[in-house]
Amino acid sequence: MRKELVKVARNSWLAQNHLCLQFGLLYVGVCARIVFVNSNRLALGLFLTFTIIAALTVGFLYGGKSWCQYICPMAPVQKIYGQPRGIFNSTAHKGDRKPVTQSMCRTVTQEGKELSACVACTTKCIDIDAESAYWDEIESYKQQWLYYGYIGLTVGYFVYYYLYAGNWDYLISGVWSHEESQLADILKPGYYLLGEPIDFPKLLAVPVTIGLFIFGAIGIGCALEDLYKAYHKRHHKHTDSRVIRHQMFTLCTFFIFNFFFIFSARGYVKMLPSPLPSLFPVFIMVSSSLWLYRTWRRTPSRYQRESLATRLQKQLKKLNLDTAKFLDGRSIDDLNADEVYVLAKVLPDFSQEKRLQTYKAMLRDAIDEGYVDPANTLENFKQMRQELGISDKDHDTILVEIGQEYPELFDPRKPHNRENSLRLESYRETLLEIILHSGKTHPDRNWVSDLMKAFSEQTSNEVLEDLLKSLSPEDRKLVQELRQEYSITKDDEADALKHTDSYQLWKTIAESLGFVEHIISVEEEQLYRVFQYIDTDRSGYISLDELQTYIRSIDTHINDVQIENMMKTADTSGDDLISYEEFQAVFKSLRSQTI
């Protein structure tokens, strides 16, 4: 029997209809604010208390951010304003996603270090790659209703105050947020039009008005979208229907953002000290215009092209090709998507054999992360094959090779998505932190050798269990809790440990030298003495033979492939030697990871 946290099942009613539920709760909350909550302290207190208890309860019953993903009424607002991306936020598909983003689930280790705590409670998570989730869902009618319906909800909310008072002064003055008799008025007339009250209770007038605005906005939005599609068709513009809807959504977000902050917030903005009330609308218009400029040009094909370019960039770095004369002082990391494709075409050392090797690695990673389904790889990687000069026949051959070498990638019972990869990565990093912390507190134990065997491609559950036996009872208990938190099976554990980065092997060198805990403040002189110790021929460079000799003096179980990966990691110049500057760079990277 294995205990694990409960997640919302992908095929459950909640998973399929959570957006409707969240928007419905948002609608109820907005109506409740006008009718009950605005000025009554007791009603406000009860409303907030109930919300907090509901969030805690869902968090207790389900793993991860299930409240945020499936129930929270503000999640639809986050989707509207946060997708496909903001002005300054990171773009995960370009490889600049931080290990722990601002809104991502996180945990704190015993050393006080923050690590990701993603348990893959959903797929296409907005906190991991907002644009991926956006393009994946954009054709859903629920997204259509959300964007257009939100305009109706927001406009209807503020227009109701005009219908209630018969003028805009009631809204602009801010009186509506300080009504002492709010509860006493819920059965009184809810409209005041043409100088006469309408005998329709406020308790019903509020939800009816906002509901009509929501359905009216959905109808108008859908009609305008159809007209926009017809316009493109008449003028022979073969535009992707997703792009047309994206542009409609972009205009909707631009409009409602400015409506909310410039028109509706006037009552609060005018209370700011001069000259802020005059500058605030300018700031809002400039910010929203910048966002509109960045967002309007986004397309699914552009997103895919940038995503594949990042994968190509990653593989080119691993090949250690001579790129210096083509980059004019820049590194591969500095190139944009188009420049990466151009570089791949002009590199003379990028032979057909290496192109096929690169394509295979990209295809394997894409399938493993769920970026593409194996059945759709031929179509999704068409553009990449054109860039690399790879035929469809080559693609089929490579796909067969991947199936033979990595059969688990084609196992339908095994999840393949970015969130699951991050779950295993989070588990591996946290497990490693526990073991490293135990090693520091028990320096007399010879645990380095077992650590190297456990975190490698040749790992097995038995090897890890042997390593865990050397830990204290408290640390073993932490590992068991960790497995439960991340829902780790034996297969999951083996997969996670097999993907250990080669930097971990360099970190083990630091462990064997006894200064990992001091790596942040390690002296230059001490690091240079280590370099000289490995550089036995005093040539000023560490060769593969010298590195093998030194590593095997630490642990005979490390194989040649692992040592060669260490060599490739450090040898950024591609001359099959590690200079002192490259040796320094490795430990600087370790220092940044430790911090």
Side-chain angles (χ1 to χ4, degrees), residues 515 518-527 530 587 591:
F515 61 77
H518 307 296
I519 200 169
I520 297 174
S521 57
V522 64
E523 296 291 337
E524 176 83 14
E525 183 179 349
Q526 182 183 5
L527 188 61
V530 174
F587 283 91
R591 184 181 295 117

Side-chain angles (χ1 to χ4, degrees), residues 328 338 346 409 528:
D328 194 24
D338 295 328
V346 301
L409 294 180
Y528 187 65

Side-chain angles (χ1 to χ4, degrees), residues 107-111 427 430-435 437-438 441 468 471-486 488 493:
T107 186
V108 180
T109 68
Q110 295 163 298
E111 303 293 327
Y427 170 74
T430 310
L431 175 64
L432 184 58
E433 288 293 325
I434 293 174
I435 296 174
H437 180 268
S438 181
T441 54
L468 296 181
L471 305 184
S472 66
E474 294 79 11
D475 288 332
R476 287 200 297 272
K477 183 179 179 182
L478 283 177
V479 172
Q480 287 302 114
E481 292 174 352
L482 189 67
R483 286 169 170 168
Q484 178 178 329
E485 179 180 353
Y486 287 96
I488 296 296
E493 199 161 55

Side-chain angles (χ1 to χ4, degrees), residues 531 534-535 540-544 546-547 567 576-578 583:
F531 178 81
I534 303 175
D535 177 25
Y541 295 91
I542 297 174
S543 66
L544 178 60
E546 290 171 330
L547 184 61
M567 188 78 182
D576 296 327
L577 295 170
I578 301 175
F583 190 75

Side-chain angles (χ1 to χ4, degrees), residues 87 254-255 257-259 261-262 279-292:
I87 299 178
F254 178 78
F255 164 75
F257 180 82
N258 286 281
F259 172 83
F261 284 104
I262 294 178
L279 295 177
F280 183 78
V282 177
F283 171 75
I284 293 298
M285 282 299 300
V286 170
S287 301
S288 60
S289 297
L290 286 173
W291 177 85
L292 179 65

